[in-house]
């Protein structure tokens, strides 16, 4: 069964006719070609598919696209403005936190959600905020350093 929906992604509306069982990750990557959102474990364990829904980080592999209708969705593609990286993205580059890059979009969006709510988090608060995002390169310290560097600007 298909349904017509309108999704607000990165402040742009998309009208889509999709099967009702398509996940938000599938629609982002396959229908809209927004491949910055990664498909990882598909069961909500790794956080690679993290997007912001109404400003809150969610695992888009666990959200049906039809459930996202009427919500504001932000993906990694929506962070940079006028060709300039968002300060969190730039901090990840500057601190060498990108590593393989697979977890970076989810980490960055989880960090954005944290910093939007708490501009001066402690180290433990940063680690808790990104705890739903697994880094397969085991390099969490550089990621925490990058997020901390944004709070000092």
């Amino acid at each position: 069964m298909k349904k017509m929906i309108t999704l607000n992604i990165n402040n742009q509306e998309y009208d889509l006719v999709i099967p009702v069982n398509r996940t938000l990750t599938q629609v982002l990557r396959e229908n809209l070609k927004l491949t910055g959102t990664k498909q990882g474990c598909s069961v909500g364990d790794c956080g690679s598919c993290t997007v912001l829904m109404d400003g809150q980080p969610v695992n888009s592999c666990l959200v049906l696209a039809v459930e996202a209708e009427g919500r504001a969705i932000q993906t990694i593609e929506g962070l940079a403005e006028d060709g300039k990286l968002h300060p969190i993205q730039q901090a990840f580059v500057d601190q060498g936190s990108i590593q393989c890059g697979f977890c970076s979009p989810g980490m960055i969006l989880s960090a954005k959600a944290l910093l939007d709510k708490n501009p001066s988090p402690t180290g433990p608060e940063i680690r808790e905020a990104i705890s739903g995002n697994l880094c397969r390169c085991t390099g969490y310290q550089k990621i925490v350093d990058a997020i901390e560097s944004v709070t000092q600007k």
Side-chain angles (χ1 to χ4, degrees), residues 102-123:
F102 196 80
C103 71
S104 298
M107 291 279 190
I108 290 168
L109 289 171
S110 291
K112 182 179 184 315
L114 169 66
L115 296 177
D116 286 349
K117 190 170 51 177
N118 177 4
S120 301
T122 63

Side-chain angles (χ1 to χ4, degrees), residues 44-151:
D45 283 342
C46 75
S48 296
C49 64
T50 300
V51 299
L52 300 183
M53 182 181 289
D54 295 333
Q56 297 299 312
V58 298
N59 293 319
S60 63
C61 71
L62 299 180
V63 176
L64 293 175
V66 295
E67 296 175 310
E69 187 166 26
R71 314 288 291 274
I73 307 299
Q74 187 168 29
T75 70
I76 195 70
E77 289 90 348
L79 280 188
E81 290 184 8
D82 301 324
K84 185 176 178 185
L85 294 177
H86 184 279
I88 300 170
Q89 292 173 303
Q90 188 62 55
F92 269 61
V93 172
D94 294 345
Q95 297 290 326
S97 306
I98 297 295
Q99 302 171 79
C100 84
F102 196 80
C103 71
S104 298
M107 291 279 190
I108 290 168
L109 289 171
S110 291
K112 182 179 184 315
L114 169 66
L115 296 177
D116 286 349
K117 190 170 51 177
N118 177 4
S120 301
T122 63
E125 289 170 330
I126 292 171
R127 288 184 181 277
E128 182 177 337
I130 63 170
S131 65
N133 301 85
L134 299 179
C135 170
R136 291 164 179 85
C137 300
T138 67
Y140 291 98
Q141 188 57 51
K142 287 185 177 186
I143 293 167
V144 172
D145 290 347
I147 297 167
E148 283 180 332
S149 75
V150 175
T151 67

